Amino acid sequence: MNNADIQKYGKELKDVLQISTSPVAVHLVRNDEEIPEDIPHIGETTRHCQMVDNVRRLGTAFYATLDDQMCKGGASVMGLTEMSPKLKSGEVYYNLNHFASLEAAKATMEKVPMVDANSIKAVLYAPLEETTFMPDVILVIAKPRIVMELSQALLQKNGGRVNAGFAGKQSVCADGVSYPYLTGEAGVTIGCSGSRKYTEIQDEEMIMSVPVDMLPALVESAKAMFGSYAC
């Protein structure tokens, strides 16, 4: 696939499934990679979930480094930095009264998907139908019906099941980016307290993430199942 292919797939996916906002292309820039010169720096400090939400609604494209990531928990699961001891131990969520014991909080945090710390130097974000870089992962924030159709299209050729492992924690970052990046599998997640507080993700929306390698077959199946798209 080249950029023209990916942009075409992004437009087709959005049109065929009538997704009201853009699927979001995300690429984790490894330390041995260069940040593309045509991608602007975000120029402000905000949260990863807000970045994804802004891209899908406003059509912006940019890169963000660790210093731009307001939520260091999100930054850490995507490999930009070490996770803080208090977050890793579960203490943060225990003190927020999200768990009955510190042990329960720690047991949950131990299962959060995490890219190796300090292996990533920046994250690229763009609407899928306009991206000029090769994404690792595509995030779709949409109503459950669309997530259902995406799931059906993913399974149309070879069958199987779609993962839906989540804890309502580290959702748009760990579940949405790190899980498919590490496993090569698509995933579904429901959002978390932070992403629902700081973004415009609606109560009736959820998140699906798909590794880019699955994109051609996904679009082909979606077109076959839910209506053809005239290029």
Side-chain angles (χ1 to χ4, degrees):
M1 285 186 292
N2 56 34
N3 286 134
D5 293 330
I6 293 173
Q7 291 172 3
K8 175 175 174 287
Y9 289 137
K11 190 173 191 311
E12 290 179 343
L13 189 65
K14 187 175 178 181
D15 288 353
V16 169
L17 297 185
Q18 299 180 7
I19 305 171
S20 60
T21 58
S22 292
V24 178
V26 173
H27 176 66
L28 302 184
V29 183
R30 299 186 306 273
N31 289 330
D32 61 353
E33 289 184 83
E34 295 296 325
I35 298 171
E37 294 183 357
D38 64 325
I39 306 295
H41 183 223
I42 187 172
E44 63 177 324
T45 302
T46 187
R47 296 166 176 83
H48 163 75
C49 54
Q50 290 175 298
M51 296 180 194
V52 170
D53 189 48
N54 287 340
V55 171
R56 68 139 181 164
R57 293 185 299 102
L58 305 177
T60 52
F62 49 81
Y63 76 87
T65 64
L66 173 61
D67 290 341
D68 306 313
Q69 298 279 352
M70 183 179 294
C71 175
K72 300 308 182 189
S76 66
V77 299
M78 294 188 297
L80 289 158
T81 188
E82 294 275 355
M83 179 173 284
S84 73
K86 287 187 176 181
L87 184 60
K88 191 172 184 178
S89 69
E91 183 178 346
V92 169
Y93 288 120
Y94 174 65
N95 289 338
L96 289 172
N97 200 33
H98 287 193
F99 292 94
S101 68
L102 184 59
E103 290 73 21
K106 182 179 180 182
T108 299
M109 293 306 297
E110 286 175 345
K111 294 184 178 181
V112 171
M114 288 191 286
V115 178
D116 289 343
N118 301 309
S119 65
I120 303 299
K121 66 181 180 183
V123 185
L124 309 182
Y125 302 83
L128 183 61
E129 69 273 19
E130 297 177 7
T131 185
T132 59
F133 59 81
M134 176 65 70
D136 296 308
V137 176
I138 297 142
L139 288 92
V140 179
I141 300 175
K143 293 182 178 180
R145 178 187 63 80
I146 292 174
V147 174
M148 176 196 73
E149 291 174 347
L150 285 166
S151 301
Q152 292 172 342
L154 279 169
L155 304 180
Q156 192 241 10
K157 291 185 181 297
N158 298 312
R161 295 183 67 82
V162 175
N163 174 71
F166 50 79
K169 305 282 185 293
Q170 313 290 132
S171 187
V172 181
C173 50
D175 297 345
V177 175
S178 301
Y179 176 80
Y181 180 83
L182 292 168
T183 67
E185 298 178 359
V188 174
T189 187
I190 55 174
C192 57
S193 301
S195 61
R196 292 195 177 275
K197 178 179 180 180
Y198 294 112
T199 74
E200 294 189 28
I201 297 175
Q202 301 298 301
D203 289 349
E204 64 273 17
E205 291 181 313
M206 56 195 304
I207 302 103
M208 186 166 198
S209 53
V210 181
V212 70
D213 290 348
M214 292 184 176
L215 183 61
L218 170 62
V219 175
E220 182 180 341
S221 292
K223 290 163 64 176
M225 295 175 72
F226 306 113
S228 61
Y229 171 71
C231 298

